[in-house]
Amino acid sequence: MWVIKPFEELTARELHLIYKERVAVFVVEQNCPYQEVDDTDLVSIHFWKQAEDRLLAYARLIPELDNVRIGRVLVPQGERTHGYGQELMKVILEYAKTHFPGLPIHAQAQAYLQDFYASFGFRPVSDIYLEDDIPHIDMLIDSQNSQTESQNRQEEHRE
């Protein structure tokens, strides 16, 4: 079951689980020392799936004036072959469509995941650049119509 909560509703245990896995993936696994916990968490909507005390997937959605941003998308190393990343993106995009209709959706993606994000209707809007020595690319879904078209394309590929 997917859990969706604004920061104010997170329990101490949930926040610990989220921060523990974010540091494990973004700081330790990627060997990238940076300020992982930031003030953006306070205004974000947090999405995750867990099994007992294990986080299976996580991301945050950041509402802004003229768009929403998806950030801190992760699936722990031991869970990466189960499709949790695809499930997570579907949940977040559906939430954005319902709660922020018509707003563009932005993602700062690691460059190697460009095709993954493109499969959900994101298109590149920047060249590849380094952030913390990791190649990234900015991607965007212009409108909810693009999202719907992308979901239709995904369903066609499965048939």
Side-chain angles (χ1 to χ4, degrees):
M1 180 172 102
W2 288 95
V3 181
I4 303 169
K5 289 185 177 184
F7 183 84
E8 301 81 31
E9 293 179 14
L10 295 173
T11 68
R13 188 166 297 281
E14 290 168 340
L15 191 58
H16 176 265
L17 181 66
I18 290 166
Y19 284 164
K20 180 179 170 184
E21 201 59 54
R22 282 181 16 188
V23 168
V25 170
F26 297 123
V27 177
V28 177
E29 178 185 331
Q30 295 180 358
N31 193 26
C32 184
Y34 76 106
Q35 185 62 49
E36 206 298 312
V37 177
D38 61 21
D39 291 342
T40 304
D41 283 323
L42 301 171
V43 297
S44 295
I45 302 155
H46 302 266
F47 295 73
W48 75 94
K49 186 174 196 171
Q50 71 184 73
E52 298 161 12
D53 289 335
R54 286 186 355 264
L55 195 71
L56 303 176
Y58 168 85
R60 65 184 184 182
L61 185 68
I62 305 120
E64 297 180 333
L65 290 177
D66 57 355
N67 69 71
V68 290
R69 278 189 302 130
I70 297 173
R72 300 293 202 267
V73 178
L74 72 82
V75 175
Q77 210 167 29
E79 305 295 343
R80 290 186 185 152
T81 59
H82 305 292
Y84 297 133
Q86 289 182 333
E87 285 181 39
L88 174 61
M89 291 305 295
K90 289 175 187 174
V91 169
I92 289 176
L93 293 174
E94 185 59 37
Y95 185 94
K97 176 183 175 184
T98 302
H99 293 86
F100 303 99
L103 287 182
I105 304 168
H106 179 267
Q108 181 186 33
Q110 290 189 14
Y112 82 96
L113 292 169
Q114 183 174 346
D115 289 343
F116 172 78
Y117 283 92
S119 74
F120 292 96
F122 285 91
R123 65 177 176 80
V125 293
S126 77
D127 291 329
I128 294 175
Y129 58 91
L130 290 180
E131 177 146 330
D132 298 315
D133 290 328
I134 297 173
H136 281 77
I137 188 165
D138 293 331
M139 301 189 77
L140 184 73
I141 293 177
D142 293 309
S143 70
Q144 303 304 326
N145 291 337
S146 297
Q147 176 186 341
T148 303
E149 291 167 13
S150 167
Q151 288 172 344
N152 290 341
R153 281 195 306 271
Q154 283 184 336
E155 289 172 11
E156 289 171 7
H157 287 289
R158 279 181 270 188
E159 294 175 355

